[in-house]
Amino acid sequence: GGITVGNGITVVFNPGTYILKGGGLSIGGGISVSGTGVAFYNTVTAGYNFGAINIGNGATVSLSAPTTGSLAGILFFQDRTVTNSPGITLNGGTSSILNGSLYLPASGLTCSNGASCVTGDYTVIVAKTIAFSGGVNVKADYSSLPGGSPVKGSAALSE
């Protein structure tokens, strides 16, 4: 049913893969969330609706993808069988350090109202749509990954 974190608490995700089977991930305002070596696999199954990943106003989030293994460099991975679904939304006042790839081929990434959305050493975004409002930084320092950049070949922006 996904993971929901209420207002005003601190959460530390242990290293590993978190399978969000329906329900997605919801982080309320005023929350502090961190985790190193974590990957979130957002999927759906019979009886569970596919859920978005929402980070509320004033949340502080610092998440880093694993640096080894089959999900090295992957922070959020949307199940490829899901089509036309909700994606990741970071709301105003959010301070986020997201080190890793955000793979959302059937949905989008939205950062609004001055949210500090994708700061970190590196963030690779694969999404159906991307909408930024306010100041956004995207960095490309892949020195922490054993194979360097997870993107092989040329990078492209497409409309």
Side-chain angles (χ1 to χ4, degrees):
I3 297 173
T4 299
V5 181
N7 290 337
I9 64 171
T10 298
V11 175
V12 178
F13 286 101
N14 290 323
T17 301
Y18 293 83
I19 299 174
L20 307 172
K21 189 186 300 184
L25 174 65
S26 179
I27 299 172
I31 302 275
S32 176
V33 174
S34 63
T36 301
V38 296
F40 296 88
Y41 180 74
N42 201 10
T43 188
V44 66
T45 188
Y48 294 96
N49 292 328
F50 187 83
I53 295 170
N54 292 305
I55 299 177
N57 292 341
T60 300
V61 178
S62 179
L63 298 171
S64 294
T67 57
T68 60
S70 61
L71 291 176
I74 305 293
L75 185 58
F76 289 103
F77 186 92
Q78 179 184 65
D79 185 336
R80 290 182 178 125
T81 66
V82 174
T83 59
N84 198 25
S85 64
I88 297 176
T89 301
L90 295 104
N91 295 301
T94 300
S95 175
S96 298
I97 297 173
L98 302 176
N99 283 318
S101 299
L102 312 177
Y103 180 77
L104 315 163
S107 60
L109 172 67
T110 302
C111 299
S112 62
N113 299 325
S116 173
C117 293
V118 289
T119 60
D121 292 335
Y122 68 94
T123 304
V124 175
I125 302 168
V126 175
K128 184 175 182 180
T129 61
I130 299 172
F132 292 144
S133 63
V136 176
N137 294 314
V138 179
K139 297 182 183 177
D141 177 2
Y142 304 106
S143 61
S144 65
L145 296 176
S149 173
V151 177
K152 305 302 179 200
S154 299
L157 177 62
S158 174
E159 256 185 87

